[in-house]
Amino acid sequence: MKKFLVTLFVAALAVTGAFAQGKVGEALAQADAEIAKAAEQFPKGTWIDSKWDALWVFGVNNTITLKDAKTGEVIYNFTPSTRKNFKIDVSENGLVISFRCEDTKRTYKFTKPVTLDTSITMDIDYDLEPNHYTVNMPFKN
């Protein structure tokens, strides 16, 4: 009888654990879905880095293009094949897109604050220099 009760108790614990794991899995899946939804809502348009006369264009499907502000010439297309560690996240600072590009030897982070301000903050770390570049870019269109 003791073996039966112990077996029944262990089975009850296993079922409870499986149920709890299922709920945790559901919560994690819902969090991932919310982040993906936020990513779809990352602002589309063009922002100006006036220090470098550069236009940063964010398009559908997370396309990012760097253009010369004076000529409109494409300087670089950040495509899925040229980006590593592409992440879209929600932080206390706002919606954040970050990635690494081996071609440019830089790590990029773009933050859209949770405010009515239309500007985006860009942070760049360059492998060949210890300086960290940060700029607040106003919205162009």
Side-chain angles (χ1 to χ4, degrees):
M1 182 70 168
K2 287 182 185 177
K3 288 182 182 179
F4 175 72
L5 289 176
V6 169
T7 304
L8 187 60
F9 180 72
V10 170
L13 284 177
V15 167
T16 302
F19 180 75
Q21 284 180 349
K23 290 295 183 186
V24 169
E26 287 175 23
L28 291 174
Q30 183 176 359
D32 288 343
E34 290 298 320
I35 290 172
K37 185 191 290 184
E40 294 170 7
Q41 297 175 15
F42 195 86
K44 311 299 184 254
T46 303
W47 283 264
I48 304 166
D49 179 351
S50 55
K51 180 178 178 182
W52 292 100
D53 288 325
L55 300 176
W56 288 87
V57 183
F58 291 79
V60 295
N61 298 323
N62 298 316
T63 59
I64 303 170
T65 305
L66 174 60
K67 294 183 176 184
D68 183 292
K70 291 178 183 167
T71 66
E73 176 185 349
V74 172
I75 297 170
Y76 196 86
N77 274 319
F78 296 93
T79 64
S81 63
T82 62
R83 299 183 308 220
K84 287 176 46 179
N85 303 327
F86 185 82
K87 295 179 189 168
I88 300 173
D89 205 1
V90 178
S91 74
E92 66 275 0
N93 297 325
L95 191 57
V96 178
I97 288 181
S98 61
F99 60 92
R100 167 96 182 130
C101 179
E102 293 299 329
D103 291 347
T104 63
K105 297 185 180 6
R106 290 172 173 82
T107 302
Y108 300 86
K109 182 172 92 171
F110 300 89
T111 305
K112 172 59 181 102
V114 185
T115 65
L116 295 178
D117 186 8
T118 58
S119 64
I120 288 180
T121 302
M122 177 177 64
D123 294 282
I124 301 175
D125 288 312
Y126 183 41
D127 293 355
L128 304 178
E129 291 181 16
N131 299 339
H132 176 82
Y133 180 69
T134 299
V135 64
N136 189 38
M137 300 188 301
F139 182 68
K140 182 177 183 239
N141 61 9

